[in-house]
Amino acid sequence: MKKSILIAVFFVLCQAASMISMPLTAKADIINGGFESGLTGWTVLGGIITTPSSYSSDYLPGSLSPFEGQHFLSAKSGGLMEGFAIVQQTVQLNVGDVISGVGAYDIGGMAVGSISVIYDATQTVIWSPSPQGGFEFNTSWTNWSWTAPETRDFTLSFYAGAMSSPFGASWATILVDGISVTSAPVPEPTSMLLLGLGLIGLAGMRRKLWK
């Protein structure tokens, strides 16, 4: 019994020591995730990019208001027949951090849109619109989220692309708002050390009783 307790104490102390030396980044967060400061913090790689206070489709009925605040992102492919829009931001996340937000879309014809995370030349799609019948203006916000699998830099990317179609017009607009990062809870090394000391105390008391 005494040997088992000492082994448990050793294990707890080793865990606490490993957490003390564990490299963690500072609390991560998205810059201007509500687009209240225009495109501050974001990189634009193409398309017609705006931060409107409301959105109405040029081709389909309906309108959309901000999910929160006064503005949101509109990333529109650069033409009626073909083009693309890309907006990105790189953020450093800890393992277990959750990045989330809301999205909507206005897509028609031969067009696609997506919200993705890119790292190590790998692209993971978080959310991608699926228009019914190829033409749809989604007039309500859809929640999306993604959990970081490791501690490192990740690039959040919004994409809207349209291709020429022999059947008529094509267009794509991705709408995004309310982006934030929820930090993963980190165990406190102090608590682990206190637990280890408590086990050591119990082991000492048992030893006295046995004597």
Side-chain angles (χ1 to χ4, degrees):
M1 179 66 72
K2 181 169 64 175
K3 184 177 180 181
S4 298
I5 292 176
L6 290 175
I7 291 173
V9 171
F10 178 75
F11 175 77
V12 170
L13 291 176
C14 286
Q15 288 292 101
S18 67
M19 283 191 294
I20 291 173
S21 60
M22 185 184 299
L24 290 174
T25 66
K27 182 183 183 301
D29 207 354
I30 285 286
I31 298 172
N32 189 29
F35 302 95
E36 299 303 305
S37 300
L39 293 171
T40 300
W42 297 91
T43 300
V44 175
L45 300 178
I48 302 170
I49 313 301
T50 58
T51 55
S53 56
S54 65
Y55 178 88
S56 297
S57 173
D58 293 333
Y59 314 104
L60 299 173
S63 62
L64 189 70
S65 299
F67 177 76
E68 61 182 26
Q70 302 298 318
H71 299 275
F72 55 94
L73 175 72
S74 168
K76 181 178 182 180
S77 58
L80 179 59
M81 295 304 296
E82 61 182 307
F84 68 90
I86 300 176
V87 181
Q88 297 181 336
Q89 184 176 148
T90 299
V91 60
Q92 191 176 48
L93 300 177
N94 291 318
V95 59
D97 285 353
V98 178
I99 187 167
S100 61
V102 295
Y105 57 87
D106 175 17
I107 287 179
M110 296 181 65
V112 293
S114 66
I115 296 175
S116 306
V117 169
I118 302 171
Y119 62 102
D120 281 347
T122 299
Q123 182 171 352
T124 301
V125 176
I126 302 173
W127 178 71
S128 182
S130 300
Q132 301 299 315
F135 298 88
E136 186 174 352
F137 176 28
N138 173 225
T139 56
S140 61
W141 293 106
T142 300
N143 292 307
W144 55 266
S145 65
W146 181 80
T147 302
E150 56 184 293
T151 298
R152 58 169 302 143
D153 287 347
F154 297 94
T155 298
L156 182 64
S157 180
F158 311 128
Y159 173 81
M163 298 170 283
S164 297
S165 169
F167 307 107
S170 295
W171 69 90
T173 302
I174 285 287
L175 308 161
V176 188
D177 200 6
I179 306 166
S180 64
V181 174
T182 302
S183 297
V186 180
E188 296 182 14
T190 302
S191 300
M192 296 294 289
L193 286 171
L194 288 174
L195 176 60
L197 291 173
L199 290 174
I200 291 174
L202 285 174
M205 289 178 63
R206 280 183 173 273
R207 186 175 181 182
K208 287 184 178 180
L209 290 174
W210 287 341
K211 287 183 177 180

